[in-house]
Amino acid sequence: MLMGRVGVMAEPELLLDSSIRLWVVLPIVFITFFVGLIRHYVSTLLQSDKALTMEQVSDSQVLIRSRILRENGKYIPKQSFLMRKFFLNNPEDGFFKKTKRKVVPPSPMTDPSMLTDMMKGNVTNVLPMILIGGWINWTFSGFVTTKVPFPLTLRFKPMLQQGIELLSLDASWVSSASWYFLNVFGLRSMYTLILGQENAADQARIMQEQMAGAAMAMPADSNKAFKAEWEALELTDHQWDLENIEEELMTKDLNFEGMFSTKLETSMF
């Protein structure tokens, strides 16, 4: 009686044709990979270098100089530290006090390059994903490609079984359309290995940068950066770390082993 119940409750296992691996799974992987390579080189060709003004370069160098002073000021004498701090933070004519920059927020009406960059990003990133994804969904529609090696709940069916409306199918099976999107975001390590860390084929990184760019659409205000750096430098006191460096060096045993060779080469004339 127990054997009969087990036989009734057990569902038949779905077996895939081996040709699916050759004509569906591998073509989707190769198409996704080579489209990523083409996207990388097209983005490299369409990339435009943003020209920086002399004022922006000067402001960035001053901020870097102040940060280095805060971090490494303990390795210079106190007088040298105070001289540099006075130049930057003097309340009357210090650099951070007297320097006021005019910040102009960028706008597509005043800066046509912004609109051009947005169009380039859509052409190289969004448009290929829509076209290739639609073509794969139309060409390989209804195919079940693979199965994840662990059980999943029914909440994963809309994500892993796009294009297949079959309620009796286990949620662990992956459709062809979902297999394409898994490859789009899963080939990240391959792109990094072949094209390097900063590549334009990594769709996940591009989407993260686009979301970060949308959240940080406004440029950094130099005046706010100067104020923040002024406050940070004002709170920094000089801590001389090399005060007893001579005594510490003299008390240590000097190890000259391996510094001088025991055999001196002689030349015959």
Side-chain angles (χ1 to χ4, degrees):
M1 186 67 180
L2 181 60
M3 295 294 294
R5 290 183 180 179
V6 172
V8 173
M9 295 176 61
E11 296 182 357
E13 184 179 359
L14 182 63
L15 298 178
L16 297 181
D17 190 353
S18 59
S19 300
I20 294 179
R21 178 178 65 253
L22 183 62
W23 297 104
V24 179
V25 177
L26 294 180
I28 292 177
V29 175
F30 290 139
I31 290 171
T32 308
F33 178 73
F34 286 113
V35 167
L37 292 180
I38 295 173
R39 184 193 303 118
H40 167 74
Y41 291 111
V42 171
S43 301
T44 304
L45 292 175
L46 297 179
Q47 185 178 6
S48 57
D49 297 332
K50 296 182 179 179
L52 298 177
T53 62
M54 186 64 66
E55 183 178 277
Q56 293 174 334
V57 175
S58 176
D59 293 344
S60 63
Q61 293 298 319
V62 171
L63 292 174
I64 294 175
R65 180 182 177 184
S66 177
R67 178 176 57 83
I68 293 176
L69 179 63
R70 289 189 290 106
E71 296 176 354
N72 301 322
K74 56 187 176 181
Y75 300 118
I76 60 177
K78 184 175 183 179
Q79 183 180 1
S80 302
F81 175 83
L82 294 178
M83 289 173 58
R84 292 166 172 78
K85 183 176 180 180
F86 183 81
F87 169 77
L88 297 172
N89 276 31
N90 183 19
E92 297 180 359
D93 57 351
F95 181 86
F96 290 147
K97 282 294 184 179
K98 69 178 182 180
T99 306
K100 302 296 181 182
R101 302 301 188 192
K102 183 179 180 181
V103 180
V104 179
S107 173
M109 301 299 295
T110 58
D111 189 4
S113 61
M114 290 185 58
L115 187 59
T116 305
D117 293 339
M118 291 175 60
M119 293 179 61
K120 290 179 180 179
N122 292 332
V123 169
T124 57
N125 299 321
V126 181
L127 189 60
M129 175 178 282
I130 296 176
L131 294 179
I132 301 300
W135 178 78
I136 287 178
N137 192 24
W138 175 74
T139 306
F140 305 103
S141 177
F143 281 97
V144 177
T145 57
T146 184
K147 184 180 180 181
V148 296
F150 46 85
L152 296 174
T153 61
L154 295 178
R155 294 179 179 271
F156 289 90
K157 286 180 69 68
M159 182 177 63
L160 296 180
Q161 296 179 5
Q162 297 183 13
I164 297 179
E165 301 295 337
L166 189 60
L167 297 177
S168 60
L169 185 62
D170 188 16
S172 300
W173 291 99
V174 182
S175 65
S176 57
S178 300
W179 177 244
Y180 164 70
F181 287 104
L182 290 177
N183 280 273
V184 168
F185 298 101
L187 292 174
R188 190 172 191 173
S189 300
M190 292 295 297
Y191 291 139
T192 304
L193 180 64
I194 297 175
L195 302 175
Q197 188 69 29
E198 299 295 332
N199 62 82
D202 190 354
Q203 193 71 27
R205 182 182 61 83
I206 293 173
M207 293 182 65
Q208 292 176 359
E209 290 179 355
Q210 289 178 349
M211 290 187 295
M216 301 175 61
M218 296 297 292
D221 191 350
S222 299
N223 298 323
K224 293 181 180 179
F226 289 161
K227 182 179 179 182
E229 189 62 32
W230 180 87
E231 293 175 354
L233 186 58
E234 193 70 20
L235 296 175
T236 304
D237 295 328
H238 183 261
Q239 302 291 337
W240 181 232
D241 281 5
L242 304 179
E243 184 176 359
N244 300 321
I245 188 63
E246 294 86 356
E247 289 78 2
E248 293 180 3
L249 290 176
M250 294 300 295
T251 54
K252 291 182 178 179
D253 295 333
L254 300 180
N255 185 12
F256 296 104
E257 183 179 356
M259 184 176 296
F260 303 102
S261 178
T262 55
K263 296 181 180 179
L264 298 178
E265 298 181 357
T266 57
S267 57
M268 300 296 294
F269 294 97

